[in-house]
């Protein structure tokens, strides 16, 4: 019988869904995470709303909590240091409370636990994620256990190549190119994780495509798209006035923000742009662009969905996005999505029917699609309704079923 031990640092939505799938399928032996929250705790009734929202982001079902082990101290240190503005403990890779240090700590502890579980026949395999799997997979390989690697992100070599072009051709946006600071040792670890995997689950066809650049992969690669929120009920589509366009995500050039702003600037009276996202670093070019538009640095998830329902188009011209959950979220709320092939867009959108796929680095193509929608507002509504119908098939239940089929061995490449 298949019995899997699983680990992840923070347990975001897709991780919780995968863990729940293994649990419901009778495959989950243990789930390791840094922090977990009980949604039935009495503390839910007394905590201040802001703190409660943070806790609820770590909520697990009572059944999943019963097989969960936590390793909280470094993650608590990260949260406290971030709240107090302490930078030294959070230094990339080196800080004692950096995400890399937390990942290494959890990975090492999980690998040690794995040896004890295997010694008494408690597991037949492991389920782990990028940057949290190296020690685990090494131990599992020695023990002859199956190694399932869930990969939300496209490969780092693809990212490095894209970033090199951006730094050379658009240096004014280079300060926003965060995430390209990984050491050679860290990147080598990513590649070793991939080589050690016996099964790989990729979030999108784009992620799978970028793995062609990774050396030594022998595992079958499955694509399992993430789920989406339930489709919004009846909503209004405007037939006059500026086209209401929206951007949601971190304000970095990895998301193609320079092309977003260039497209908006080409249609200043025809398109009203709202930008939701945090500004990660000081960047004069970004500051100048934000002044011209409505900018909301941060919103709770429910309010982001409400903003989506108040808009008609989502523009996500990403250069490198392993999935881009904002795509399926926007489609569920009836938006026409304009995005690139370097996202899950081609897996979710039929170009020209329920959204648009445009080349990367092509703001003129974005302008062309926006102008088309400005001229034909009836088309906006028709495409928005088709987007809702398409993404209604992309449920979290379907995601859990896909993960379970692969983990159980019922689905083969």
């Amino acid at each position: 019988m298949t019995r899997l031990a699983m680990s992840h640092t923070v347990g975001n939505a897709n991780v919780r869904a995968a863990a729940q799938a293994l649990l419901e399928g009778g495959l989950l032996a243990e789930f390791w995470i840094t922090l977990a929250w009980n949604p039935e705790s009495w503390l839910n009734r007394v905590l201040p709303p802001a703190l409660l929202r943070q806790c609820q982001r770590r909520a697990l079902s009572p059944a999943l909590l019963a097989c969960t082990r936590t390793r909280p101290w470094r993650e608590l240190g990260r949260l406290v240091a971030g709240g107090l503005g302490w930078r030294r403990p959070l230094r990339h890779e080196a800080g004692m409370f950096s995400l890399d240090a937390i990942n290494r700590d959890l990975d090492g502890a999980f690998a040690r636990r794995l040896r004890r579980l295997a010694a008494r026949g408690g597991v037949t395999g492991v389920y782990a994620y990028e940057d949290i799997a190296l020690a685990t997979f090494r131990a599992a390989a020695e023990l002859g256990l199956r190694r399932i690697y869930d990969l939300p992100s496209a490969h780092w070599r693809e990212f490095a190549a894209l970033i090199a072009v951006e730094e050379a051709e658009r240096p004014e946006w280079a300060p926003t190119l965060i995430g390209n600071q990984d050491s050679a040792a860290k990147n080598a670890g990513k590649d070793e994780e991939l080589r050690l995997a016996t099964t790989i689950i990729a979030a999108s066809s784009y992620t799978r495509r970028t793995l062609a650049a990774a050396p030594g992969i022998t595992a079958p690669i499955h694509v399992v798209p993430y789920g989406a929120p339930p489709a919004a009920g009846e909503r209004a589509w405007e037939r006059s006035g500026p086209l209401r366009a929206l951007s949601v995500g971190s304000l970095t050039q990895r998301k193609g923000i320079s092309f977003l702003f260039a497209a908006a600037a080409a249609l200043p009276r025809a398109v009203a742009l709202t930008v939701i996202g945090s500004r990660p670093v000081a960047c004069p070019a970004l500051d100048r662009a934000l002044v011209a538009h409505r900018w909301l640095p941060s919103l709770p998830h429910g309010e982001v969905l409400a903003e989506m329902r108040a808009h008609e188009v989502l523009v996500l011209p990403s250069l490198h996005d392993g999935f881009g959950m904002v795509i399926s979220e926007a489609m569920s709320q009836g938006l026409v999505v304009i995005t690139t092939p370097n996202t899950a867009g081609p897996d979710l959108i039929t170009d020209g029917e329920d959204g648009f796929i445009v080349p990367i680095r092509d703001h003129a193509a974005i302008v062309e699609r926006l102008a088309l929608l400005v001229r034909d507002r009836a088309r906006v509504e028709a495409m928005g309704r088709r987007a809702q119908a398409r993404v209604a098939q992309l449920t979290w239940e379907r995601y859990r079923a896909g993960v379970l089929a692969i983990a159980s061995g019922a689905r083969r490449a």
Side-chain angles (χ1 to χ4, degrees), residues 130-348:
E130 184 180 37
D131 295 330
I132 326 168
L134 188 54
T136 297
F137 278 7
R138 285 171 175 171
E142 291 174 12
L143 296 164
L145 303 179
R146 189 178 177 204
R147 302 172 296 279
I148 302 175
Y149 194 52
D150 195 319
L151 186 62
S153 305
H155 193 262
W156 67 267
R157 280 185 172 83
E158 173 90 357
F159 182 52
L162 289 164
I163 291 309
V165 172
E166 292 306 302
E167 289 177 334
E169 296 187 356
R170 278 163 284 277
E172 69 275 21
W173 294 94
T176 72
L177 292 171
I178 58 174
N180 61 329
Q181 304 166 351
D182 290 347
S183 66
K186 182 175 178 179
N187 286 331
K190 292 175 187 284
D191 283 345
E192 187 177 349
E193 289 174 340
L194 285 162
R195 287 194 299 272
L196 288 169
T198 58
T199 301
I200 297 171
I201 299 175
S204 68
S205 298
Y206 170 63
T207 292
R208 179 173 60 186
R209 176 161 56 85
T210 67
L211 293 181
I217 294 178
T218 58
I221 304 170
H222 306 265
V223 174
V224 184
Y226 298 143
E234 284 300 313
R235 54 150 294 168
W237 280 271
E238 294 291 340
R239 294 298 182 97
S240 61
L243 184 73
R244 297 168 299 173
L246 180 67
S247 169
V248 181
S250 59
L251 301 178
T252 71
Q253 188 61 1
R254 183 174 70 85
K255 298 284 188 179
I257 55 170
S258 72
F259 309 105
L260 164 74
F261 290 126
L267 299 165
R269 290 178 293 277
V271 174
L273 175 64
T274 295
V275 178
I276 302 174
S278 59
R279 181 174 52 189
V281 293
C283 174
L286 175 59
D287 293 341
R288 289 192 298 270
L290 288 173
V291 168
H293 305 287
R294 179 175 176 245
W295 174 43
L296 304 171
S298 178
L299 285 178
H301 186 251
E303 294 182 28
V304 171
L305 295 179
E307 283 288 336
M308 287 180 173
R309 291 190 293 274
H311 289 77
E312 296 154 315
V313 182
L314 178 92
V315 185
L316 182 70
S318 289
L319 303 178
H320 183 81
D321 223 325
F323 189 82
M325 290 182 70
V326 69
I327 298 173
S328 54
E329 290 173 343
M331 292 174 71
S332 76
Q333 306 306 303
L335 276 72
V336 179
V337 175
I338 302 173
T339 190
T340 72
N342 291 14
T343 68
D347 298 330
L348 311 181

Side-chain angles (χ1 to χ4, degrees), residues 9 98 101 147 160 174 221 259 262 324 343 350 362 388 393:
T9 306
S98 67
R147 302 172 296 279
I221 304 170
F259 309 105
T343 68
T350 301
D362 191 345
Q388 284 185 303
Q393 306 168 31

Side-chain angles (χ1 to χ4, degrees), residues 353-390:
E353 293 187 13
D354 48 25
F356 295 106
I357 307 297
V358 298
I360 63 169
R361 302 189 175 111
D362 191 345
H363 85 274
I366 301 172
V367 172
E368 180 182 332
R369 273 59 170 192
L370 289 172
L372 173 63
L373 297 176
V374 168
R375 293 192 302 269
D376 189 352
R377 303 301 281 269
R379 181 170 186 162
V380 176
E381 179 174 350
M383 292 183 70
R385 291 189 183 278
R386 286 196 291 267
Q388 284 185 303
R390 169 67 182 92

Side-chain angles (χ1 to χ4, degrees), residues 16-82:
R16 295 194 302 272
Q20 194 68 32
L22 300 183
L23 177 68
E24 293 171 357
L27 274 59
L28 187 63
E30 286 187 358
F31 178 48
W32 277 55
I33 196 169
T34 54
L35 295 173
W37 184 254
N38 184 352
E40 297 183 0
S41 169
W42 62 272
L43 290 170
N44 287 277
R45 298 190 297 271
V46 299
L47 288 178
L51 180 57
L52 180 59
R53 283 195 297 270
Q54 290 295 321
C55 293
Q56 288 174 336
R57 294 175 63 183
R58 309 294 185 109
L60 303 178
S61 70
L64 186 54
L65 281 169
C67 60
T68 295
R69 287 174 171 253
T70 59
R71 195 167 176 86
W73 302 114
R74 283 182 184 263
E75 175 66 359
L76 287 171
R78 183 175 77 92
L79 295 174
V80 170

